[in-house]
Amino acid sequence: MVTSLFVFFFIMLILGVPIAVSLGIASLIAIYFGSNIPFIILAQKMFNGMNSFPFMAIPMFLLAGNIMAEAKISDRLVGLAAIMVGRFPGGLAHMATGASAFFGSISGSAPATTAAIGTVMIPSMIKKGYSRSYSAAVIAASGALGLIIPPSLTMVVFGVIAGVSIGNLFLCGVLPGLLICLAIMGLNYYIAKKKGFQCEQELSREKKKQVIKDSLLALLMPLIILGGIYSGAFTATESAAVACLYGVIVGCFIYKTLTIKTLFNILKNTSENAALIMFLMGTANLFGFIITAEQVPQHFAAFIMSVTDSQMLVMFIIMGMLLVIGTFLDNVAALVLFVPTMIGLVNAMHIDPIYFGVFTIITLAVGQFTPPVGLNLFIASNIAEEKFEVVVKDVIPYFFVYIFFLILFILIPKLLTIFI
């Protein structure tokens, strides 16, 4: 049953069938050929996979991110980043990274962050003499921060699948997100000194005041979400609804960049994306049911534990697997496939599930800008009008920045759970 499940699943993927459909078809074939389970189970398990109150946070966070993206706040966040880091050599690259960190804390999505900041920054960088490939590489690597810095949609998905606190995942994503952001800026500085990139002109005092005033309204959203969760005012799911309301108020009545027509398009796009994710959750639950029924997680955990009883070595094995999976699958798809199988091993090895969750999300973030499927790379290279393979060469140093921190987090696990 398990053999037919995985064989047909990978055949579907090779044929280019969408992963959600591949999961469903492979599960159907496995049940038909490998068991006497009635087909009514298919519908029941798919429904149960979507029938979860915390999953309501997914369309809500998608909606909140889309609202703030359409409210054209990326320009304001770039201005705020200019005030903070524009005075250093390679100022535009620092601004791109800083603005990505700010926007990532609002959108919770790596592709959305890459598209929003890349549209603003890449043309400016090219005009100032930065190469097209380097400009795209900076944006692609910085855009991955959208998965790590809370509130993160990927953390919501992991929290529901693994049954752990979404609030704690959010809190534990702050420090690694900031550390990686600063490290990327350090690499930007080194490259800028080497290639002779200049500082940006400092803004006037009045202009600074205006930029800070405009951008703070946007940056209040993640503070409202995290503050509300940890004060007990609302749950992580309810916080997503609060974020949507706040986004509408700011976009319609303060920034005045949203219209009824824009809101309709936002709702339409959010509904389509949310439907895709929820369908994936349903078919993944069916897939996971078969894996669990056949005790695959237990067998996998027993195999790994027969090889080593070292938590550190197990985490290195997990990192290697995630880096490979992340290069081929979208982060949400990777989570729904990987986590149910690995959570048994994590529990058996007494690894903190919150630590495992944050580490998993950071590792999958690397896949956003690594070939062959790195979505951030495709988005950034399209904006820069540069060949994908050329951008890949310039993104390699940023890849090693992320790898360095992943190794550091394995050696010092407390860095990821210091706030809980």
Side-chain angles (χ1 to χ4, degrees), residues 45-57:
K45 291 300 177 182
M46 286 185 65
F47 177 76
N48 289 338
M50 297 179 280
N51 187 28
S52 170
F53 177 72
F55 270 155
M56 289 180 64

Side-chain angles (χ1 to χ4, degrees), residues 15-289:
L15 292 175
V17 178
I19 188 166
V21 178
S22 299
L23 289 169
I25 292 176
S27 301
L28 173 65
I29 293 173
I31 288 175
Y32 180 79
F33 286 109
S35 74
N36 295 319
I37 298 174
F39 276 3
I40 189 66
I41 288 291
L42 294 171
Q44 292 174 347
K45 291 300 177 182
M46 286 185 65
F47 177 76
N48 289 338
M50 297 179 280
N51 187 28
S52 170
F53 177 72
F55 270 155
M56 289 180 64
I58 293 175
M60 287 296 181
F61 274 121
L62 278 173
L63 179 58
N66 288 338
I67 288 171
M68 298 304 277
E70 287 295 326
K72 307 300 181 186
I73 64 166
S74 52
D75 291 356
R76 295 173 173 86
L77 296 178
V78 168
L80 180 63
I83 293 173
M84 299 175 66
V85 295
R87 62 183 180 274
F88 299 108
L92 283 178
H94 301 316
M95 289 162 57
T97 301
S100 295
F102 291 141
F103 193 86
S105 70
I106 295 168
S107 71
S109 165
T113 301
T114 302
I117 303 303
T119 303
V120 177
M121 291 302 306
I122 289 177
S124 300
M125 294 176 73
I126 293 171
K127 286 180 182 178
K128 287 292 184 76
Y130 294 74
S131 69
R132 292 179 182 272
S133 60
Y134 175 70
S135 302
V138 171
I139 293 294
S142 301
L145 293 170
L147 290 188
I148 304 167
I149 299 177
S152 165
L153 180 64
T154 312
M155 290 182 178
V156 174
V157 174
F158 180 91
V160 176
I161 295 173
V164 299
S165 169
I166 296 171
N168 283 342
L169 288 170
F170 283 176
L171 196 60
C172 292
V174 174
L175 181 60
L178 292 177
L179 288 175
I180 294 172
C181 178
L182 291 174
I184 292 174
M185 287 183 178
L187 179 57
N188 292 342
Y189 181 85
Y190 170 78
I191 294 173
K193 294 292 285 185
K194 186 177 179 180
K195 296 189 175 183
F197 297 143
Q198 300 301 309
C199 312
E200 293 306 298
Q201 185 176 357
E202 193 167 352
L203 300 176
S204 66
R205 180 173 296 181
E206 292 302 317
K207 183 66 174 176
K208 286 181 179 179
K209 288 181 181 179
Q210 186 61 43
V211 168
I212 292 172
K213 180 182 177 182
D214 289 344
S215 59
L216 284 181
L217 288 172
L219 291 176
L220 274 176
M221 191 169 84
L223 294 179
I224 290 172
I225 292 171
L226 295 176
I229 292 173
Y230 289 102
S231 67
F234 37 74
T235 66
T237 303
E238 292 163 347
S239 73
V242 173
C244 291
L245 177 61
Y246 180 79
V248 170
I249 292 172
V250 170
C252 290
F253 303 109
I254 300 177
Y255 291 160
K256 296 181 180 179
T257 50
L258 296 180
T259 63
I260 297 298
K261 182 179 179 180
T262 305
L263 285 174
F264 176 79
N265 290 331
I266 290 172
L267 290 169
K268 178 176 177 291
N269 293 334
T270 302
S271 299
E272 292 173 351
N273 291 331
L276 290 172
I277 293 175
M278 296 308 291
F279 180 63
L280 174 60
M281 293 301 166
T283 56
N285 191 61
L286 177 60
F287 193 88
F289 161 72

Side-chain angles (χ1 to χ4, degrees), residues 279-325:
F279 180 63
L280 174 60
M281 293 301 166
T283 56
N285 191 61
L286 177 60
F287 193 88
F289 161 72
I290 298 173
I291 289 176
T292 303
E294 295 297 304
Q295 296 187 325
V296 173
Q298 291 89 330
H299 290 309
F300 181 76
F303 170 72
I304 294 295
M305 292 177 70
S306 68
V307 175
T308 178
D309 59 357
S310 167
Q311 288 185 353
M312 188 177 297
L313 184 55
V314 167
M315 290 307 299
F316 274 110
I317 293 172
I318 289 173
M319 183 182 80
M321 294 172 63
L322 284 170
L323 287 173
V324 174
I325 290 172

Side-chain angles (χ1 to χ4, degrees), residues 361-413:
I361 289 161
I362 297 170
T363 313
L364 290 177
V366 178
Q368 295 290 306
F369 60 91
T370 51
V373 185
L375 188 55
N376 284 15
L377 275 180
F378 280 105
I379 293 171
S381 58
N382 284 337
I383 296 172
E385 298 180 351
E386 182 59 275
K387 292 181 180 178
F388 179 85
E389 57 270 22
V390 177
V391 178
V392 169
K393 294 178 182 178
D394 278 330
V395 88
I396 290 174
Y398 296 94
F399 170 80
F400 285 110
V401 168
Y402 279 82
I403 296 301
F404 167 80
F405 277 102
L406 287 172
I407 294 172
L408 181 65
F409 296 145
I410 292 176
L411 299 177
I412 313 176

